[in-house]
Amino acid sequence: MTQPLPEYLRDDIARNVAFALEEDIREGDITAQLIDDDSTSEATIITRESAVMCGSAWADEVFRQLGDVQLQWHVTDGDRLTPDTALCTLSGNTRQILTGERTALNFLQTLMGTATAARRYADAVGGSRVTILDTRKTLPGLRAAQKYAVLCGGCDNHRIGLYDAFLIKENHVTACGGITAAIERARALSPDKKIIVEVETLEELQEAAELKPDQIMLDNFSAQMLAQAAQMATSSALEVSGNLTVENAGGLPAGRDWFLSSGALTKHVQAVDLSLRLHR
């Protein structure tokens, strides 16, 4: 499954890479200076384990900013990979290949780890009426990148940040004086923005449902409460948060559509084991 790169990511990629290179190189890569400055080489990046491909645009940008290295990709973002698969072949200035190696691999291993986690969740609910969503529990500075990786893994995005949708949680409800007051204020402030409200009890669910927000988040509902919620008449989409893992994500009550949001997609990331091999 090839995942198109969203247009909004392009500026983020350049900024992410520029910062990563600056923190690594600083005054210069002194080890690379051991190599003749006109030396050229080829290299291959491989994965040592099964994974979902993601992050080619970040690796491309690393070597674009460094200068004179070309990348030929043998896989595309969203592909399922087996161990020892070659991701790409690099050719160009040897110093630049070695200077950019770690930065490129850092982006790839992190985004592939995110995409691979997302694919496990997507596979776990395959054939059901459950859609897996990410959260804002992302690595600082890599929000858009990880949300793109979630898409590569076959899951969907929740809101991107604090600006594109209302998510009225328990503290907002308390500060506003109740669910009804919070939803009414949100509609008055930005009537075109999506409204999601978190509830902790069936009584709160009933109150929220009567106001018809776009989505209602059921926070840490027990299995019995979820079964009752599934039978309640509400035109709002229902989202489950907490208590569910990849092992039981497909076990939500049948008969209706569900969203399941999980911070584990982006915050419990295990980097994929990658290797760059230089060929002279």
Side-chain angles (χ1 to χ4, degrees):
M1 180 200 70
T2 301
Q3 179 63 45
L5 190 70
E7 185 63 35
Y8 68 80
L9 264 176
R10 299 190 186 280
D11 288 343
D12 270 20
I13 294 171
R15 287 193 295 264
N16 289 160
V17 168
F19 179 80
L21 288 173
E22 193 275 335
E23 82 175 343
D24 205 23
I25 299 172
R26 295 287 179 171
E27 292 80 21
D29 179 355
I30 59 174
T31 311
Q33 291 173 19
L34 302 175
I35 301 161
D36 292 341
D37 61 6
D38 61 351
S39 171
T40 59
S41 299
E42 285 194 352
T44 305
I45 297 175
I46 66 167
T47 176
R48 297 187 181 274
E49 59 184 311
S50 297
V52 173
M53 178 60 199
C54 186
S56 56
W58 284 261
D60 283 338
E61 182 66 15
V62 166
F63 293 104
R64 188 197 69 78
Q65 292 192 21
L66 286 173
D68 189 21
V69 177
Q70 302 300 313
L71 280 69
Q72 179 184 1
W73 291 95
H74 310 304
V75 296
T76 58
D77 286 0
D79 286 353
R80 295 180 189 244
L81 309 179
T82 55
D84 298 320
T85 297
L87 308 187
C88 70
T89 301
L90 303 87
S91 57
N93 183 272
T94 307
R95 283 189 179 184
Q96 291 176 9
I97 290 174
L98 297 180
T99 295
E101 171 185 1
R102 176 43 50 197
T103 298
L105 293 182
N106 283 349
F107 281 115
L108 287 168
Q109 70 186 18
T110 300
L111 298 184
M112 289 174 67
T114 304
T116 302
R119 175 49 60 189
R120 286 196 294 269
Y121 271 85
D123 288 347
V125 300
S128 74
R129 296 175 65 179
V130 179
T131 299
I132 306 293
L133 304 174
D134 55 22
T135 70
R136 287 170 45 244
K137 296 174 182 177
T138 53
L139 298 176
L142 289 179
R143 168 74 53 80
Q146 282 196 287
K147 283 186 172 281
Y148 167 69
V150 165
L151 297 178
C152 288
C155 295
D156 284 357
N157 296 150
H158 209 284
R159 60 176 181 163
I160 303 300
L162 296 172
Y163 56 88
D164 59 328
F166 291 99
L167 177 46
I168 302 169
K169 296 177 71 69
E170 58 179 4
N171 287 333
H172 302 100
V173 169
T174 299
C176 289
I179 288 173
T180 299
I183 292 175
E184 289 177 345
R185 290 184 184 184
R187 286 192 170 128
L189 180 63
S190 295
D192 60 324
K193 297 290 188 183
K194 182 176 183 178
I195 297 176
I196 308 164
V197 60
E198 177 187 71
V199 300
E200 297 179 318
T201 67
L202 291 168
E203 291 74 24
E204 289 182 346
L205 171 57
Q206 184 62 50
E207 179 184 356
E210 291 174 359
L211 293 164
K212 297 180 172 59
D214 299 283
Q215 202 159 301
I216 301 174
M217 178 190 292
L218 312 179
D219 183 45
N220 289 306
F221 270 38
S222 67
Q224 181 180 0
M225 292 170 67
L226 287 173
Q228 292 176 271
Q231 300 304 315
M232 294 176 64
T234 171
S235 60
S236 302
L238 293 184
E239 172 189 344
V240 178
S241 177
N243 286 340
L244 292 177
T245 65
V246 68
E247 289 76 21
N248 60 16
L252 288 165
R256 70 165 297 143
D257 295 328
W258 295 94
F259 289 109
L260 189 158
S261 55
S262 175
L265 298 181
T266 51
K267 71 185 179 79
H268 295 165
V269 176
Q270 180 172 330
V272 172
D273 188 6
L274 303 177
S275 175
L276 185 148
R277 297 175 176 175
L278 192 73
H279 315 295
R280 288 303 303 269

